Amino acid sequence: MVIFFKKKIKKTEIYSPLSGEVCDLSSASDPVFREKMMGDGFYVMPNSLKICSPIDGIIDSIFPTKHALTIKGKNGINTLIHIGSDTVQLEGKPFELLVEAGKTVEAGEALVISDFDYIRNSNKGTEVYVVFPELDVEKKVILIKQGMVSQQDIVATI
């Protein structure tokens, strides 16, 4: 008799980076994210200002215009947080960084405070994208919670 053992795959929990409405990328207004050119993930329509880390890891890079940053996850999963649509044009004005590259962060730790009113008044989108640009083919983002969430609700697994 042959017995096969199923390899147990550990799931990584992904937390909402802020309070608001979690949405599937298929409904994103930005075609780059909607078509998953930057990777699979989700976005949040914010109703709070503070953006927190969705995973444990190290801040890998921060874009000079402060609208996006990457986190190297402790579990090997890399994450891109992109604040708004076309916000690179705002030259960093609506963003207050609370971290710097190389800093170790835990899920829930504050990264950026965003002035979403300034972004809206500049006719830019306010959605906060959380995508995983380098996922292995056998790993998938599973959105487990959509709609209104609180900051740090578990909203997805990988």
Side-chain angles (χ1 to χ4, degrees):
M1 173 164 39
V2 177
I3 299 174
F4 293 96
F5 293 95
K6 222 178 186 182
K7 184 179 176 185
K8 187 159 183 137
I9 299 172
K10 185 179 179 190
K11 290 182 181 178
T12 300
E13 295 177 330
I14 309 300
Y15 297 84
S16 179
L18 71 167
S19 297
E21 182 181 1
V22 171
C23 303
D24 187 274
L25 284 180
S26 64
S27 66
S29 61
D30 187 325
V32 171
F33 290 100
R34 184 177 57 244
E35 295 171 18
K36 300 182 181 180
M37 291 182 218
M38 299 298 292
D40 199 2
F42 59 92
Y43 69 97
V44 182
M45 292 304 299
N47 65 11
S48 59
L49 304 177
K50 192 183 332 176
I51 298 166
C52 299
S53 182
I55 62 168
D56 295 337
I58 297 173
I59 303 298
D60 186 45
S61 66
I62 300 172
F63 288 63
T65 52
K66 305 180 208 171
H67 75 288
L69 55 87
T70 59
I71 303 169
K72 280 196 179 290
K74 287 184 179 178
N75 54 11
I77 295 173
N78 295 322
T79 306
L80 167 67
I81 300 173
H82 189 283
I83 307 165
S85 295
D86 296 325
T87 50
V88 68
Q89 299 168 1
L90 301 178
E91 301 174 340
K93 291 178 184 122
F95 309 112
E96 177 188 346
L97 289 176
L98 305 174
V99 294
E100 57 189 38
K103 182 179 188 323
T104 299
V105 294
E106 294 181 9
E109 188 171 338
L111 306 174
V112 180
I113 296 175
S114 294
D115 184 344
F116 289 111
D117 287 336
Y118 184 95
I119 295 169
R120 258 188 297 283
N121 291 337
S122 300
N123 295 316
K124 307 298 180 194
T126 59
E127 53 279 325
V128 176
Y129 294 98
V130 178
V131 295
F132 307 93
E134 301 168 359
L135 280 184
D136 296 334
V137 290
E138 72 272 1
K139 294 181 181 175
K140 296 208 180 289
V141 177
I142 301 168
L143 202 53
I144 59 173
K145 193 169 190 180
Q146 292 187 58
M148 295 307 291
V149 299
S150 296
Q151 184 266 325
Q152 285 307 102
D153 281 355
I154 297 171
V155 296
T157 59
I158 296 179

